[in-house]
Amino acid sequence: MAPVPYLLLLLPLLRVSADELEPCQLDEEDFRCVCNFTDPEPDWSSALQCMVAVEVEIRGGGRSLEQFLKKANADPEQYADMVRALRLRRLTVGAAQVPSQLLVAVLHVLGYSRLKELTLEDLEVTSLLPPPPVKDPGPALSTLRIHNVSWATGGAWLGKLQQWLKPGLRVLNIALTHPLAFACAQLRTFPTLTTLDLSDNPGLSERGLTTALCPHKFPALQDLALRNAGMETPSGVCAALAAAGVQPHRLDLSHNSLRAAASGDPRCVWPRTLSSLNLSFAGLEQVPKGLPPKLSVLDLSCNRLNRAPRPDELPEVSNLTLDGNPFLDPGALKHQEDPTPSGVVPACARSALTVGVSGTLALLQGARGYA
């Protein structure tokens, strides 16, 4: 049997202009291939040209991919040598309704590939995820990004998905995805995960963070990003970290509407490992109480501070950033509220525009190191 069906599983899901004739476009260097199957009767075979690419992005035009389910029952081992020969290192699959059986079939065959980064974006995963195979699960990913994905499995989705991946994941990025209240009992430890990014989940909140950070599941965590995640006070985040036993080195709480903790709030003991805290773009009018006693980096830029913080309001800090506050720049508030003034755009306005597109853009732009 020709290997076309499984290639379609791998590569049937960038946005090209409407007057392009081909749904898939491969660049001149055979490095990046993008497909957008928006036609009523798409030419899925166009995806075959993506076989030579290192980066592949495939979008299904919002349609259901249930038609491929009958091909998902084929034995992937018969295509193992061909899949091992692919240059594929980064794959994005988006804009589709995907039966869970099809998703795991794709993961299973990708287990023979050299794929390192997988992004699932704008997807609806229907039906419950089946159990993993006894041997040869999915790919050995270093980075997994889940953006705007709904799961029929409920809070068990991360634990179920984790079983279809080989160990070794280092970066996990989950944005605009529900639910984030994970079934912790079904979640295995992430022994090598150093970066967890839960940014762009405005409904998460500190209470939700407590349920998302399953206790003792992230022992190697160094970077925790919670931009635009509904956080309210640094001390509330501290309490969630303490409850989960999470000890990050760097914590990003920027782009949350933070407030000072109430005087009666219990004092929280921050992780001893924490050395960098980002509180920029948080609408702060004063330095919050209860910050870690000592930091290497504290970013308070682009807030609403009308005076320089007093030494007794600050932790012992080596690198303090206060740029973009009204006491240093009288026009700072105007720039933050109206980030499109004429002339030169200030740094705070530029950053606000960038995060308005996505708080996780920096993580989505990888160097072409896998070429």
Side-chain angles (χ1 to χ4, degrees):
M1 177 188 292
V4 170
Y6 249 99
L7 289 176
L8 291 178
L9 285 179
L10 280 172
L11 307 169
L13 286 175
L14 224 152
R15 298 182 171 91
V16 294
S17 60
D19 38 42
E20 295 285 358
L21 296 179
E22 291 290 332
C24 297
Q25 301 290 318
L26 179 66
D27 66 17
E28 294 181 356
E29 299 174 349
D30 292 346
F31 185 88
R32 179 171 173 78
C33 185
V34 297
C35 302
N36 194 16
F37 293 103
T38 56
D39 290 344
E41 297 183 3
D43 178 13
W44 298 107
S45 64
S46 176
L48 293 177
Q49 64 185 296
C50 296
M51 288 180 61
V52 299
V54 175
E55 293 184 357
V56 176
E57 181 172 350
I58 304 179
R59 299 183 180 274
R63 59 172 43 82
S64 172
L65 301 182
E66 191 168 352
Q67 61 178 302
F68 293 102
L69 265 179
K70 61 182 68 174
K71 302 184 178 81
N73 295 323
D75 182 6
E77 193 168 352
Q78 61 184 308
Y79 309 124
D81 290 339
M82 179 196 64
V83 175
R84 288 190 188 102
L86 296 176
R87 301 171 64 209
L88 182 66
R89 297 296 186 276
R90 300 186 184 98
L91 174 64
T92 297
V93 180
Q97 299 171 35
V98 184
S100 62
Q101 295 91 335
L102 180 60
L103 175 61
V104 298
V106 173
L107 291 174
H108 197 178
V109 74
L110 286 173
Y112 298 103
S113 74
R114 293 175 287 171
L115 183 71
K116 290 301 179 184
E117 300 182 14
L118 175 63
T119 299
L120 303 179
E121 188 171 58
D122 302 327
L123 296 179
E124 179 185 353
V125 181
T126 59
S127 69
L128 302 180
L129 288 169
V134 177
K135 64 174 184 175
D136 299 327
L141 298 176
S142 62
T143 300
L144 175 63
R145 304 182 183 96
I146 310 291
H147 189 278
N148 192 28
V149 178
S150 63
W151 302 85
T153 310
W157 71 265
L158 182 58
K160 297 286 188 182
L161 184 63
Q162 182 187 34
Q163 295 176 29
W164 282 91
L165 303 176
K166 294 184 178 74
L169 190 68
R170 297 197 299 270
V171 177
L172 177 59
N173 184 326
I174 306 174
L176 296 174
T177 295
H178 304 282
L180 286 175
F182 303 130
C184 295
Q186 301 179 31
L187 196 65
R188 300 174 182 175
T189 300
F190 288 93
T192 59
L193 192 78
T194 58
T195 299
L196 177 61
D197 192 338
L198 299 178
S199 301
D200 295 332
N201 290 293
L204 179 60
S205 77
E206 292 160 11
R207 178 178 296 182
L209 179 62
T210 303
T211 59
L213 293 177
C214 294
H216 313 298
K217 302 295 184 180
F218 307 100
L221 190 65
Q222 297 182 13
D223 294 272
L224 177 60
L226 297 168
R227 297 181 295 274
N228 185 30
M231 301 298 113
E232 296 181 0
T233 64
S235 58
V237 175
C238 173
L241 299 182
V246 173
Q247 305 222 352
H249 297 198
R250 291 165 289 275
L251 176 62
D252 188 348
L253 297 180
S254 64
H255 296 272
N256 288 285
S257 296
L258 298 178
R259 58 177 175 80
S263 57
D265 288 352
R267 186 172 181 83
C268 179
V269 178
W270 288 89
R272 291 177 298 172
T273 56
L274 188 65
S275 63
S276 176
L277 180 59
N278 188 342
L279 300 178
S280 65
F281 288 95
L284 292 169
E285 297 181 352
Q286 63 186 55
V287 179
K289 299 184 184 305
L291 294 182
K294 184 175 182 180
L295 290 168
S296 296
V297 177
L298 176 60
D299 190 346
L300 289 167
S301 62
C302 302
N303 276 293
R304 298 170 177 265
L305 303 180
N306 288 310
R307 60 171 176 81
R310 299 190 304 269
D312 63 330
E313 296 175 315
L314 293 168
E316 181 183 342
V317 59
S318 304
N319 188 342
L320 175 65
T321 303
L322 294 167
D323 298 343
N325 280 286
F327 80 90
L328 288 176
D329 177 7
L333 286 180
K334 182 178 185 300
H335 296 323
Q336 293 176 38
E337 295 169 355
D338 180 14
T340 57
S342 59
V344 178
V345 181
C348 290
R350 285 199 301 271
S351 181
L353 286 169
T354 300
V355 176
V357 175
S358 169
T360 55
L361 283 179
L363 286 177
L364 295 178
Q365 298 173 351
R368 291 187 173 186
Y370 297 116

